[in-house]
Amino acid sequence: MTFQQVSEPYDAYDVLVVGGSGVDTIVSVGALPVPLADSYAVPPVREGAGHTGTGVALGCAALGLTTGFVDFLGDDHPGSLVRERLAGTGVDFRPLISPHGTRRAVNLVAADGRRMSFYDGRDPADLRMPPEHYLPPLRRARHVHLSIMHFARFLYDDIEALGIPVSTDLHDWDGLTDHHREFALRSDLVFLSTAGAGERIGSVMREILHEGRAQAVIATAGAGGAYLLTTEDRTPRLVPPAVPPGPVVDSNGAGDAFTCGFLYGRLAGRDLDECARLGAVAGAYACTSPGTHTRLAGPEDLRPARTAPSAAGATAPPADGPRPAGPPDARVSPAGA
C-alpha cells in the first residue's frame, strides 16, 4: 500500500480533526420510512462532500478556529469533490492517498428534514495512519477531534502521551457495539445521538462518564434539544433546542455543527452549559439549508443563543425515560454525515 502526503501543517491548530471525510449522495423523499416500491420519482439527486470529519473541520474553521484535518482519501472523483469543498475554507487538509477509494454515503432526506444514511466506509481493518504523518500536526494542536474511523483509535496513546484533550462523536451508538467503546471511554468530551440507545440513553451516558475519562457526555435529540451529563450531575440535564433562523429543510450535518459550537465555547473557556447552548444554536443553524454542511454558523450567529419558547425552563425527564419529541437523528452509519 502506498500513500502520498500532499501538504505541510500550520504552525498551530485550535482543533485537529482526524478521519471522517467522504461524499454524500442526497436523495429527497416524501417521508421516512419509504414504503416498499419498485421505483420512485424524486427531485434532482445531489452529490457533494460531506461526512462527519468534513463537517467538524468546516464548522470549526467557519467559527474562526484554526483547523487541521488529517485523513485517508481516494485518488478518485469523490476525492476531488472533497478537496474542492475544503479548498479556500481555511481548513488545512492533509490527506493520504488510499487505494481503497473515498468513503461514500447515500442519504435519504424527508420533507421534514429527517434523514437516513447508508454508509460505505470501505477502509480495511488493517488500515493505519503512519505516525510521521499525524504526529507533526498533533504536536501543534490544542484539541483533537477523532472521528470513529477504525484507524483513528490507534492515535489515542500518542494523544494521551502529549496531554491533549480529545473529543469524539459516537453518532447513533446503542451502548453495546464494541467498535465505539474505546472511543467512548478514552475521550474527554463524548457526543452521541439518542437515536441508537433510545430509552436507555441515560444509562449509556452514565456508563461512559463513570467508566471512562470523559468530563462531559452530550446526547443530541433532534428537535427535542440535547442532554448534558457532567461529573457533577447524577442524571442528564435537558439542553433546550435553539430556534432555527429559518425553516428546517435538512438535518444532514446538524450533529457535526452542534459539536463545532460546543468546541468553540470550550476553547474559549466557557462553562459546559454555555458550550451546550452554543452547540444547539449551531446545530439549528445547519438545518436551514439543503445538503450537508452547506450553511455554516459563524461567531456572530451564535450570539445571542435563543432557545425555543416551549422548551425554555424545561427540565430533563428521568434519565432512562422516553426520548424528547421531535425528529430523531436517524443515522445508521458509523461515521455519520
Side-chain angles (χ1 to χ4, degrees), residues 2-334:
T2 58
F3 305 101
Q4 177 186 349
Q5 182 171 321
V6 297
S7 65
E8 293 297 328
Y10 289 173
D11 290 337
Y13 301 112
D14 293 312
V15 178
L16 177 67
V17 180
V18 178
S21 63
V23 165
D24 286 337
T25 299
I26 308 295
V27 182
S28 299
V29 296
L32 290 172
V34 178
L36 183 64
D38 181 67
S39 65
Y40 284 96
V42 297
V45 174
R46 305 188 303 275
E47 182 179 59
H51 294 222
T52 185
T54 309
V56 174
L58 287 169
C60 286
L63 287 168
L65 300 174
T66 304
T67 305
F69 187 12
V70 294
D71 197 8
F72 292 96
L73 195 70
D75 186 15
D76 49 23
H77 172 66
S80 69
L81 295 178
V82 175
R83 292 176 186 276
E84 290 169 6
R85 179 65 182 90
L86 291 168
T89 63
V91 175
D92 184 24
F93 185 39
R94 303 181 66 238
L96 291 171
I97 302 303
S98 169
H100 304 286
T102 301
R103 304 176 198 101
R104 305 292 303 273
V106 175
N107 298 338
L108 305 184
V109 180
D112 62 4
R114 293 189 301 167
R115 69 85 182 262
M116 178 172 286
S117 178
F118 299 87
Y119 177 66
D120 169 13
R122 73 178 53 216
D123 291 345
D126 62 354
L127 185 68
R128 300 289 185 274
M129 180 168 284
E132 59 268 24
H133 186 73
Y134 69 77
L135 277 176
L138 190 62
R139 293 188 178 110
R140 294 169 168 85
R142 293 176 60 198
H143 183 93
V144 180
H145 182 80
L146 292 186
S147 303
I148 54 173
M149 310 286 95
H150 180 65
F151 78 83
R153 71 175 70 248
F154 299 99
L155 277 65
Y156 270 113
D157 288 345
D158 288 315
I159 293 170
E160 291 178 9
L162 291 168
I164 305 170
V166 59
S167 58
T168 194
D169 188 344
L170 307 178
H171 303 288
D172 58 349
W173 189 40
D174 59 5
L176 304 172
T177 308
D178 286 338
H179 173 85
H180 302 67
R181 189 168 301 279
E182 183 173 11
F183 293 93
L185 301 184
R186 298 188 71 178
S187 298
D188 300 288
L189 296 173
V190 177
F191 300 88
L192 73 165
S193 79
T194 60
E199 294 183 356
R200 295 184 297 104
I201 189 62
S203 61
V204 171
M205 294 174 73
R206 288 196 300 273
E207 177 186 356
I208 294 170
L209 196 70
H210 295 157
E211 296 190 14
R213 57 177 289 168
Q215 301 170 354
V217 183
I218 306 96
T220 56
Y227 290 136
L228 171 66
L229 183 67
T230 75
T231 54
E232 299 177 354
D233 299 319
R234 297 185 62 184
T235 58
R237 291 177 282 127
L238 180 66
V239 179
V243 177
V248 173
V249 296
D250 193 338
S251 63
N252 277 295
D256 301 327
F258 186 106
T259 296
C260 295
F262 194 103
L263 294 181
Y264 172 80
R266 193 65 174 161
L267 288 165
R270 309 285 185 88
D271 62 41
L272 292 169
D273 291 278
E274 178 64 12
C275 292
R277 287 192 289 271
L278 293 172
V281 174
Y285 193 90
C287 293
T288 59
S289 66
T292 310
H293 315 137
T294 54
R295 191 175 190 192
L296 304 169
E300 67 283 355
D301 300 307
L302 299 190
R303 50 181 191 265
R306 296 190 302 155
T307 55
S310 60
T315 57
D320 294 309
R323 291 204 308 259
D329 183 357
R331 284 183 278 204
V332 297
S333 70

